[in-house]
């Protein structure tokens, strides 16, 4: 099963509600919520108030990507606000097992993310505790960047490991995904496809439908 996961980082925030409605109406199952703190990544995006607004008005599965140092500080609040899945970065947390266990105990799904320069081996100790691995295909921090082609080998490697030993773990990719490289990423084994700028431009509904058709 493949899941399309539009990232609202690329939305027009003047029209956020309407744009999320379009994505939902077109049949996307997930919504990707990029929380950035200006510390772990250079930029600041948005946080709890936006999550709360989206949750109050939308039933989409909220996939929260925490590009935040010490994400363990925010788990309770995120889940209270309705996060369905929380992904923390392996580079950003000193207490990963405890944090993943906390996410699970509070009823959300768990994810662990790796930056392009971090090897896959960094997440292997946590595979038993996660519902999803996120292989970043750009350096986190900004939407609209170009896909880093070397990451395709990490996706393949991760898919091999998942198939061998953790068949229920989802494999998410994030950054620079377009209709042009979608097929290559699916073939490499990604099954949760985050995409921001390729969705939130022009006819949003048509963009979602086109991605879904090819997945
Ligand atoms: C990047 C974010 C991504 C971003 C993807 O740091 O984690 O989720 O929104 O945007 P595009 O698809 O434009 O690369
Ligand atoms: Zn993201």
């Amino acid at each position: 099963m493949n899941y399309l996961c539009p990232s609202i980082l690329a939305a027009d925030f003047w029209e956020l509600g309407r744009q999320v409605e379009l994505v939902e109406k077109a049949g996307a199952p997930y919504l990707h919520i990029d929380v950035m703190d200006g510390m772990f990544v250079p930029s600041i995006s948005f946080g709890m108030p936006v999550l709360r607004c989206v949750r109050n008005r939308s039933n989409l599965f909220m996939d929260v990507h925490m590009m935040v140092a010490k994400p363990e500080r925010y788990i309770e609040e995120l889940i209270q606000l309705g996060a369905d899945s929380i992904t923390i970065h392996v580079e950003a947390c000193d207490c990963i097992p405890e944090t993943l266990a906390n996410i699970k105990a509070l009823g959300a799904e768990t994810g662990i993310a790796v930056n392009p320069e971090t090897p896959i081996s960094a997440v292997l100790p946590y595979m038993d505790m996660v519902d999803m691995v996120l292989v970043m295909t750009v350096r986190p921090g900004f939407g609209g960047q170009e896909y880093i082609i070397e990451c395709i080998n990490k996706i393949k490697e991760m898919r091999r490991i998942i198939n061998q030993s953790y068949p229920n773990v989802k494999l998410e990719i994030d950054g620079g995904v377009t209709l042009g490289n979608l097929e290559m990423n699916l073939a490499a084994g990604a099954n949760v496809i985050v995409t921001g700028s390729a969705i939130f431009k022009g006819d949003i509904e048509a963009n979602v439908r086109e991605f879904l058709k090819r997945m």
Side-chain angles (χ1 to χ4, degrees), residues 5 26 35 38 78 82 87 162 171 202:
C5 188
V35 181
L78 288 170
T87 295
I162 286 175
L171 177 48

Side-chain angles (χ1 to χ4, degrees), residues 32 34 65 67 174:
H32 188 76
D34 284 310
H65 178 193
M67 286 166 277
D174 183 8

Side-chain angles (χ1 to χ4, degrees), residues 7 9 32 34 36 65 67 136 138-145 174-177 194-198:
S7 166
L9 188 63
H32 188 76
D34 284 310
M36 302 180 187
H65 178 193
M67 286 166 277
M136 290 301 302
V138 297
R139 289 202 182 81
F142 302 95
Q145 301 182 74
D174 183 8
V177 178
V194 176
T195 162
S197 38

